[in-house]
Amino acid sequence: MTKYDHKAIEKKWQNAWEKEKTYQASDAGKKPKKYVLIEFPYPSGEGLHMGHLRPYTAGDTYSRYFRMKGCEVLYPIGWDAFGLPAENFAIKNKVHPRVSTAKNIANAKKQLQNWGISFDWSREINTTDPDYFKWTQWIFLQFYKAGLAYEATGLINWCPKDKTGLANEEVIDGRCERCGTVVEKKELRQWYLKITAYAEKLLEGLKELKEWPEPVKLQQENWIGKSEGAEIEFPIAQKGIRKFIILHGRGSRPKDHFYTWLKKKLESKGFEVQSPQMPGGEEPKDDECADFIQQHCNLDEHTVVIGHSFGGIVALRLLERGARLAGAILVATPFTGKFMDGKNRPTVTAAAKKGFDFAAVIKNCGFFKVISDTTDYVVAMSDGESYAAKLGVNLIKAAAAKPHFLDEQEPELLTIILSRIAVFTTRVDTLPGATFLVLAPEHPLISNLKSQIKNWAEVKKYIENAKKKTDMQRAAVEKEKTGIFLGSYAVNPATKEEIPIWVADYVLMGYGTGAIMAVPAHDERDFEFAKQYKLPIRTVINNPSQPPLNLRGGETAEEPPLNIRGGEGELFTGEGLLINSDGYDGMSTEEARKKIAKDFGQPKVQYKLRDWVFSRQRYWGEPIPLIHCQNCGTVPVPEEDLPVTLPEVKDYEPTGTGESPLAAIDEWVNVKCPNCGGPAKRETNTMPQWAGSSWYWLRYADPDNKKEMAGKKLLKRWTPVDVYFGGMEHTTLHLLYSRFWNLFLYDQGHVTAKEPFTKRVPHGIVLGPDGEKMSKSRGNVVNPDEIIEKFGADALRMYEMFLGPHGDTVSWNDKGIMGIKRFLDRVLRYQEISKDLPRVEKKNLLHKTIKKVTQDIEGFRFNTAISQMMIYLNEVWKVSEDENRIEVDFVTKEEWQEFLKLLAPFAPHLTEELWHQLGHKDSIHLKEWPKFDPKLAQDTKVTFVVQVLGKVRATLEMPAGTSQQEVKEKALAGENVNRHLEGKKIVKEIFVPDKLINFVIK
RNA sequence: GCCCAGGUGGUGGAAUGGUUUACACGCAGCACUUAAAAUGCUGUGAGCGAAAGCUCAUGUGGGUUCGAGUCCCACCCUGGGCACCA
C-alpha cells in the first residue's frame, strides 16, 4: 500500500506554481475580477501561527474556487512591518529594526509558501519600504491640507511602559492594547486626525454595507455613539456686574475682529458696554492707553474689563494704578512680550517687560480670567500659564475660531465672559427638573469661579485626586459617587431658580461639554448623587404606571410639589406626561423635548467617537512629514521631497519625556524651511502602526506605481475589495480607520470606491487543545509548521476548516486531524487501486456533492463542504477484506475528475498530483469548476416518515415524487402504524411531499 | 448595568418548522498479523425490553403548532463588545 509522501509532493507543486506564476492576477483581460483580501501579517520573530492560518486558508480556498469559476482573482499579501515589537527588539539587541524585520519577513514568506497559499507574490508590499510609506506620508499631507490633521495639547492616554501616546481605540479595559500596562493620562502636544469630522459619514456608510455581518456594523455604530439632544446654557449667577469695557489689541480698531459682535451680544444681555479706540495705532504705549481709558471711561466695582492681546496689558496697568474693578478678563495677552512667529512688536514687548505690581493688581480686582488660545501660534500658551499663576487663577484654555481670537465671532469667548455653563442633554424635556449642575473635575470653568469658591482648598484637593485616578479607577468606584459643592449657583433657564454647581468625577470632560444638568428624578446617576448629598429631587414627569399625580406634582391640589426635602424622591427614567413644569405641564415628553429645546437650547448631535491621536513618540514608524519654521509656522514637506526617511540612530530607546528618539538627531531634525529657506526643525513624532494598514489594499492594485498612490485605472479594475477576511478584534480599530481613510480619499477624488470592503467575513479564534487562548506561558501553542512536517499542508489546511464553522471560536484537537489524514490517504489510494477496473456512474450523488460544496464555499461553510466530500468518498469507497476484491463499483474517470476538482481548493497539492497522474499537463487549479444539474442533485429515492399525532411510527423508502394517496396506502399497511391507529378516527392528514405523512387522530 | 453571539452525544460539530445527533474524533468488537502499528468492517444519546417496540432527551420553565433545536414569553449560564457617554 502506497503512502502519500506529502513532503516531496507538496514541495514539487509549490515550486511548479511559483515557476508557472499560476496565481498571478492579470491587470488586463475580460474575466470578471474578484478581489479577496486577508489582513496582512505583522512579521514577528515568532513566525506566523495558527491564528494566521485559519483566515489565510479560508481566503485561499475561496480564491481558488473563484479562479476555477473563471474569475480573475486578486489574492495579495504584504507586511505590516512598522511597530513596537521590532523596535523593542532593537532596543534590547541593538539591531536595526530594518534588519530584524527583513529576516522575519523572509521566514514568514517561507512559511506561507509551505502552507500552499495561492498569493500573488508579484504584488508583495511592505509598509516600511520607503516606496510604500512615501504614499502613507503623502496621504497624511492630504489630511493636513484638508484641515483634518491638527496639533493640539490635550490629556491623552499614555502608556508608561511603551512610553508613547495611544489612541482611544488602543486602550482596552484601561490598559495598553499592546503590553497590558495600565494607561495613564498625560498632557501632551500631539497630532490628531479629525475622524470626528467623518463620524456621520462613517455611520451613514454602514447602511450601504449590506454584506457586512450585523454584529460588526453594530459594534462600529456603538463605537461612533451618536446621540441627538440639545445644548443648553446655564448662566452663572453673578451679582453686581453692570458694565463691560472692551480693550482692543495692538493696531486694531473697535470695529475689528470680534469686538463689535461681542459688544452687541453683551448689550443684548442688558449690560452697558464701552469699546473705546485707544491711541497709538501700530505702536501703542501702555501708559498712554491707560491714561486714555482713565480719562474717558468710568471704572468702578461694577465694571469688568476685557483686554484682548495688548489690551490685556492695559487692563493690568489700570489695576496697578489703583482702579477698582469687578473683574478683568485677559484674552490671548502676550505677557512676556515674546512672540513665537519671530516678528517684532517693540512697544508691546517694552510694555510687557516692565512687569506689574501684582499685589496691587490683585487687591483691586474681584476676579481674573486668563484665556489662552490652544491654536495660537503667535502668543505662547506658557505666557498665559505663568501669568495666571501670578494672579492666582488657572489658565483657561479655549479653542479660538481663528488663531489668537481674530475671527468676527468668538463664541467660546462669550461663554467664558458671561460665565455660562453649557451642558449637553438628550432629555431636554426634563430641564424643569434640573436641580443642580455638575462639572467634570477638568472643566476649565472651575478655575474661573475660584474667586467665588470659599472652600477652594477642599475643591482643589478633590480635583487633583480625581485627575490622579486613571479612567479605570474612576469607573471602578461605580457604587459611591463623590463630589463637592463649588459654592456658586447657576440659573435654570426654565424655572429661573438658582441651582448649586457641583464638581464630581462621574461627569466626563471628554464627552459633550464636560458639564451636565442634573435631573435626579429622571436620571439614574443624578439620582444616586442627589441621594448621596441630599440634593433636591423634583419629579417633572409622571410615571404612567403609577397613580397619576396632579400637574403640580402632588397627589391632591392642595399638596405642595414633590421637590421639597433634599435626597427624597422617586426615580423614573421613562417617558410620560410633564408635571410640575409650569408652561409645559401636560405635554408628552416627546413634545416637550421639541418645545423646550426650541425655547432654551439648540439642537446638537454628539458622538462618543474621539479624534484619533495620530502621533507616537517612537523611532520605528513613518515620520510625520512636516517642518516647523520660526517664520512660517508648520509647513508640509513638499511632495517632491517625500518620502521623509528615518535617520540612522545609535539609540532606539524612547526618551519618555514625550519626545521621539528622533529629536536627538540634530542633523536630521534641523532643516531649511521649504517655504522661506530659514532655519526650521522637522516634526519628530512618527505615525501609529495603523497608518500603513489604513490604505494597503489600494496599493495592491498598483504596487509599483512611482507617480501615484495607485492609478485610477487599476483602482477601478480591482477595488473595492470583494471579500475581506479578518478578526473581530479589528472592528473598531483597523476596520474603522480604513473606512475613514478610504472615505476621505474618495472625497478628495483619489480613489474610485466609496466604501473599501464590500463584504466582511470574520473568523473565529483558534484556541489551544485545553480550550484556552494559545500562549507561550500556558505552553499550549500548536505550531503549524510541526503539523505540516507530520501530516502535510493539505491535511492541516483541511483540518483547520473542518474544526468548525469559519466564524466560530474552535479548539485545536490533536487527534482529530487523523480523520482528515485518513480521508486524503483514501483519495490517493482510491485512484491507485481503481485503475483498469469497470466503472459505473454515481450521477445523483456527484451532482448533490457539487451542489453542496459549491454553495458551502460561497457561504463560507467550509466544514460542511468537507463533510459532503467525505460522504461522497465513503459511498464510492467500499472495499472488502482484501483490497483487491472490489465489492462496490468505482465511478467513471470523468466523475472522479469532477470530484478532484471539488477537492482542489481544499487540498491543492494532492489534487494537483493526482490530476497530473491522470495524464493532464496543465494545472487543476485553473480548470473549470464542475457544474451541477439541479434535477440530478435531487435524490431519486426518499424516506417518508409516517407519524401518528406527530410521533414517528414508521419510515418508508419510496421514489421521490410519490403521491399522497400512494404513501397513505403504504403507510396504513404498516403494522406498527395500525396499532397506533386502532380504535381511533383519522381527523386530519398532513402530507409534506418527499418528507412525511402525519395522521391526526381522535 | 447595557448591546451582541451562543448553550445539541464522551468530544468537535450537523440539521429550509418535519426521522435530533450528518461528517469526524474517541471508544468497543471483529478481520488482517506471530504480535503491534497501519488498514478495513460493524456497533456506539439515555432508560426499559429476549425482540418487535416503548418512553425520555437539543441550558431551565411556560406558550404557539398536527409537529419546535428551530417561532414567541420569562429566566439561568458561557463567550465577545461597551461601560457613570448625560
Side-chain angles (χ1 to χ4, degrees):
Chain A
M1 189 187 77
T2 21
K3 275 221 113 178
Y4 177 50
D5 180 2
H6 60 260
K7 279 185 212 167
I9 289 173
E10 289 182 352
K11 194 80 231 148
K12 169 177 153 195
W13 291 112
Q14 282 157 14
N15 290 338
W17 296 331
E18 197 178 359
K19 205 175 130 213
E20 300 291 326
K21 298 185 168 56
T22 313
Y23 309 121
Q24 200 160 308
S26 166
D27 286 333
K30 285 199 179 115
K31 287 195 223 167
K33 71 98 182 177
K34 193 91 186 172
Y35 188 170
V36 182
L37 187 67
I38 47 95
E39 288 165 352
F40 64 162
Y42 176 79
S44 82
E46 315 272 303
L48 303 177
H49 48 77
M50 283 294 180
H52 294 109
L53 185 77
R54 196 166 164 83
Y56 293 5
T57 307
D60 190 55
T61 303
Y62 197 73
S63 296
R64 288 176 183 277
Y65 164 75
F66 275 102
R67 243 179 243 120
M68 293 173 79
K69 270 280 208 186
C71 292
E72 192 67 50
V73 173
L74 174 57
Y75 189 40
I77 179 73
W79 312 100
D80 189 15
F82 273 127
L84 283 180
E87 182 165 332
N88 289 339
F89 185 81
I91 292 166
K92 223 170 147 187
N93 302 297
K94 303 277 173 212
V95 180
H96 195 289
R98 195 186 304 120
V99 176
S100 56
T101 299
K103 201 178 127 205
N104 293 345
I105 287 178
N107 181 40
K109 181 169 179 176
K110 215 165 112 196
Q111 279 184 296
L112 288 176
Q113 283 171 330
N114 284 341
W115 296 355
I117 311 286
S118 63
F119 288 129
D120 176 356
W121 286 99
S122 73
R123 293 167 188 265
E124 183 179 351
I125 57 171
N126 176 345
T127 54
T128 63
D129 181 349
D131 286 339
Y132 180 89
F133 72 69
K134 169 180 179 174
W135 299 107
T136 311
Q137 291 175 334
W138 179 83
I139 295 168
F140 176 86
L141 289 182
Q142 307 314 304
F143 276 113
Y144 181 77
K145 286 171 188 168
L148 294 175
Y150 65 96
E151 213 182 355
T153 308
L155 271 187
I156 62 144
N157 300 303
W158 173 263
C159 174
K161 178 147 180 280
D162 289 338
K163 293 178 184 158
T164 184
L166 299 173
N168 226 21
E169 287 82 350
E170 290 171 299
V171 182
I172 313 285
D173 287 337
R175 288 167 184 279
C176 170
E177 187 218 22
R178 277 225 164 270
C179 66
T181 311
V182 173
V183 167
E184 295 171 358
K185 291 279 176 192
K186 194 162 178 168
E187 179 127 342
L188 268 183
R189 204 161 180 78
Q190 294 279 337
W191 282 94
Y192 290 82
L193 282 193
K194 207 165 185 169
I195 191 169
T196 51
Y198 271 73
E200 191 58 39
K201 277 193 175 186
L202 286 166
L203 199 60
E204 276 299 304
L206 287 175
K207 289 184 192 151
E208 289 161 39
L209 297 173
K210 297 261 154 44
E211 292 184 72
W212 279 40
E214 281 311 317
V216 174
K217 285 194 276 187
L218 209 69
Q219 215 174 297
Q220 285 207 354
E221 198 184 312
N222 292 340
W223 188 262
I224 295 166
K226 179 180 183 175
S227 43
E228 289 174 72
E231 199 170 290
I232 304 173
E233 288 190 334
F234 286 67
I236 292 172
Q238 7 186 15
K239 287 156 196 147
I241 297 173
R242 292 184 202 140
K243 187 162 90 179
F244 285 95
I245 298 174
I246 302 171
L247 302 181
H248 60 75
R250 181 196 66 102
S252 298
R253 298 156 299 174
K255 64 174 186 177
D256 294 337
H257 315 311
F258 60 87
Y259 309 139
T260 318
W261 169 82
L262 180 62
K263 184 166 187 274
K264 277 190 187 149
K265 284 278 171 186
L266 292 173
E267 279 169 352
S268 75
K269 298 280 165 195
F271 295 105
E272 188 190 328
V273 184
Q274 282 181 303
S275 180
Q277 170 77 58
M278 295 189 287
E282 289 292 320
E283 295 190 347
K285 300 208 167 60
D286 52 336
D287 285 316
E288 281 175 22
C289 291
D291 289 343
F292 180 84
I293 297 298
Q294 280 184 320
Q295 279 166 31
H296 292 86
C297 302
N298 229 344
L299 306 175
D300 58 25
E301 282 99 345
H302 302 294
T303 304
V304 174
V305 173
I306 302 165
H308 177 223
S309 197
F310 174 73
I313 296 175
V314 179
L316 289 183
R317 207 55 83 203
L318 288 166
L319 287 163
E320 193 181 51
R321 291 174 172 203
R324 300 191 68 90
L325 293 170
I329 299 171
L330 310 168
V331 182
T333 300
F335 298 100
T336 60
K338 281 188 202 141
F339 297 97
M340 290 200 293
D341 62 2
K343 286 186 191 147
N344 280 332
R345 294 164 180 95
T347 53
V348 179
T349 305
K353 285 255 162 84
K354 276 193 262 171
F356 303 94
D357 175 0
F358 283 103
V361 168
I362 292 170
K363 200 183 89 199
N364 291 329
C365 194
F367 69 85
F368 294 98
K369 292 178 188 176
V370 184
I371 305 165
S372 284
D373 165 29
T374 51
T375 62
D376 207 326
Y377 53 80
V378 180
V379 177
M381 186 89 74
S382 57
D383 267 38
E385 254 154 28
S386 64
Y387 269 68
K390 283 177 186 165
L391 293 168
V393 295
N394 285 348
L395 178 70
I396 301 168
K397 292 169 198 163
K402 234 185 206 171
H404 199 61
F405 298 103
L406 293 179
D407 212 347
E408 288 179 7
Q409 298 190 5
E410 292 288 353
E412 220 177 309
L413 208 52
L414 182 67
T415 302
I416 296 167
I417 291 167
L418 284 179
S419 294
R420 290 191 298 197
I421 298 175
V423 305
F424 171 74
T425 177
T426 53
R427 290 296 301 268
V428 214
D429 50 314
T430 64
L431 175 63
T435 51
F436 55 101
L437 287 189
V438 188
L439 306 182
E442 299 88 352
H443 202 289
L445 231 54
I446 296 173
S447 64
N448 228 355
L449 295 170
K450 192 181 160 185
S451 57
Q452 295 161 55
I453 299 173
K454 292 181 188 79
N455 52 341
W456 177 247
E458 235 179 300
V459 170
K460 198 176 161 196
K461 203 174 143 200
Y462 179 79
I463 291 169
E464 270 164 16
N465 273 339
K467 280 184 183 168
K468 249 186 256 162
K469 286 188 203 169
T470 62
D471 279 359
M472 233 172 54
Q473 288 166 326
R474 253 164 93 160
V477 203
E478 232 172 292
K479 277 182 205 153
E480 283 253 310
K481 286 192 166 47
T482 59
I484 190 161
F485 176 45
L486 281 181
S488 306
Y489 293 83
V491 179
N492 181 328
T495 62
K496 310 292 178 208
E497 274 174 351
E498 288 198 0
I499 58 175
I501 305 170
W502 285 65
V503 187
D505 66 4
Y506 82 92
V507 175
L508 309 173
M509 193 56 224
Y511 184 77
T513 60
I516 60 151
M517 64 177 207
V519 186
H522 305 290
D523 179 281
E524 214 174 310
R525 296 149 300 179
D526 300 340
F527 181 74
E528 265 177 58
F529 193 77
K531 284 257 169 198
Q532 178 95 15
Y533 292 101
K534 305 263 184 288
L535 291 160
I537 298 169
R538 176 190 299 175
T539 299
V540 292
I541 292 159
N542 196 31
N543 184 344
S545 65
Q546 301 277 314
L549 303 167
N550 68 43
L551 290 182
R552 296 299 307 162
E555 279 169 31
T556 64
E558 290 73 38
E559 251 183 86
L562 291 177
N563 59 335
I564 321 302
R565 287 175 296 273
E568 288 181 20
E570 298 275 307
L571 172 69
F572 171 63
T573 55
E575 310 274 324
L577 296 181
L578 269 76
I579 52 169
N580 203 11
S581 305
D582 288 330
Y584 306 100
D585 287 345
M587 279 187 191
S588 72
T589 36
E590 204 189 330
E591 270 177 283
R593 265 199 284 280
K594 286 182 198 141
K595 185 76 172 62
I596 298 179
K598 209 176 144 202
D599 293 348
F600 298 109
Q602 37 195 328
K604 200 172 170 197
V605 176
Q606 272 293 336
Y607 300 91
K608 284 195 217 170
L609 188 70
R610 311 283 155 86
D611 276 341
W612 177 4
V613 177
F614 199 69
S615 40
R616 298 293 181 274
Q617 296 70 44
R618 303 289 300 219
Y619 173 79
W620 191 230
E622 302 89 343
I624 290 178
L626 294 172
I627 289 168
H628 301 284
C629 168
Q630 288 187 352
N631 291 322
C632 315
T634 303
V635 181
V637 172
E639 283 177 20
E640 60 270 22
D641 292 346
L642 294 180
V644 177
T645 53
L646 287 162
E648 299 293 324
V649 296
K650 279 195 208 82
D651 200 358
Y652 305 96
E653 189 84 44
T655 59
T657 59
E659 271 203 293
S660 143
L662 293 174
I665 317 297
D666 289 339
E667 56 276 29
W668 186 80
V669 170
N670 293 313
V671 286
K672 275 185 190 159
C673 169
N675 224 3
C676 68
K681 285 183 187 300
R682 280 194 195 282
E683 169 66 47
T684 57
N685 278 319
T686 52
M687 300 188 200
Q689 203 191 341
W690 309 107
S693 59
S694 292
W695 70 283
Y696 75 111
W697 69 93
L698 299 169
R699 189 66 178 172
Y700 283 138
D702 194 4
D704 301 316
N705 198 322
K706 295 265 185 268
K707 295 197 182 106
E708 291 168 283
M709 168 188 83
K712 281 277 177 60
K713 208 177 136 197
L714 289 174
L715 284 175
K716 260 214 169 94
R717 160 101 172 132
W718 293 114
T719 62
V721 171
D722 293 287
V723 181
Y724 193 12
F725 291 87
M728 270 316 265
E729 71 275 18
H730 287 134
T731 302
T732 52
L733 287 162
H734 163 63
L735 219 49
L736 192 65
Y737 293 152
S738 294
R739 288 188 58 226
F740 169 42
W741 280 42
N742 198 81
L743 276 168
F744 168 72
L745 289 170
Y746 178 79
D747 285 349
Q748 298 285 311
H750 299 301
V751 302
T752 53
K754 199 166 168 188
E755 283 288 340
F757 317 121
T758 305
K759 190 183 185 84
R760 172 73 173 179
V761 181
H763 60 251
I765 308 161
V766 185
L767 302 174
D770 51 0
E772 299 283 335
K773 211 174 158 195
M774 282 193 198
S775 75
K776 257 195 189 164
S777 55
R778 281 206 185 83
N780 61 351
V781 175
V782 179
N783 183 339
D785 298 334
E786 282 169 22
I787 306 287
I788 287 181
E789 177 74 17
K790 232 165 150 179
F791 300 99
D794 284 344
L796 173 64
R797 295 167 48 123
M798 264 182 99
Y799 182 53
E800 270 267 353
M801 323 222 68
F802 188 64
L803 270 173
H806 186 251
D808 285 13
T809 296
V810 292
S811 295
W812 179 266
N813 175 330
D814 279 306
K815 284 181 178 160
I817 195 169
M818 277 314 297
I820 295 291
K821 177 71 176 154
R822 275 177 208 141
F823 169 75
L824 292 175
D825 281 342
R826 248 183 288 175
V827 170
L828 180 90
R829 281 167 54 209
Y830 181 96
Q831 182 164 314
E832 261 176 15
I833 61 180
S834 66
K835 272 180 206 154
D836 311 318
L837 286 166
R839 317 272 192 141
V840 294
E841 290 183 329
K842 288 246 178 194
K843 266 206 180 119
N844 286 102
L845 181 61
L846 178 71
H847 281 256
K848 203 174 155 182
T849 303
I850 297 172
K851 184 180 172 189
K852 178 101 177 110
V853 174
T854 304
Q855 292 175 348
D856 281 355
I857 292 177
E858 293 201 11
F860 311 97
R861 294 179 297 268
F862 304 111
N863 55 335
T864 48
I866 294 171
S867 295
Q868 182 60 38
M869 289 188 282
M870 287 173 166
I871 291 169
Y872 180 85
L873 191 70
N874 287 348
E875 200 53 49
V876 299
W877 167 266
K878 293 238 168 109
V879 189
S880 72
E881 295 118 58
D882 178 0
E883 279 190 4
N884 295 318
R885 215 174 66 228
I886 306 305
E887 217 173 51
V888 174
D889 304 312
F890 282 91
V891 294
T892 61
K893 189 177 168 188
E894 287 67 35
E895 279 196 14
W896 180 246
Q897 292 188 146
E898 295 291 273
F899 172 74
L900 285 182
K901 285 189 206 163
L902 294 181
L903 184 58
F906 297 88
H909 306 90
L910 174 70
T911 50
E912 186 80 305
E913 174 68 18
L914 294 180
W915 184 253
H916 281 75
Q917 282 179 14
L918 289 172
H920 296 283
K921 295 275 175 273
D922 44 5
S923 171
I924 189 172
H925 300 297
L926 301 176
K927 285 287 148 191
E928 203 185 329
W929 185 256
K931 288 193 177 71
F932 64 89
D933 180 338
K935 275 187 202 139
L936 289 173
Q938 278 166 10
D939 290 316
T940 49
K941 257 191 184 171
V942 292
T943 308
F944 280 91
V945 173
V946 185
Q947 294 183 337
V948 178
L949 273 175
K951 289 203 190 292
V952 182
R953 297 303 176 193
T955 57
L956 301 170
E957 286 278 317
M958 294 184 95
T962 308
S963 72
Q964 180 170 353
Q965 191 55 36
E966 266 180 87
V967 176
K968 184 183 175 182
E969 276 166 25
K970 189 117 182 249
L972 291 176
E975 196 191 328
N976 198 37
V977 175
N978 265 311
R979 200 164 53 235
H980 286 93
L981 292 178
E982 224 176 324
K984 310 276 181 165
K985 206 178 128 200
I986 297 175
V987 292
K988 202 175 169 188
E989 207 177 298
I990 288 135
F991 180 74
V992 182
D994 293 349
K995 280 268 155 77
L996 66 68
I997 187 157
N998 185 9
F999 300 107
V1000 185
I1001 55 168
K1002 228 179 178 174

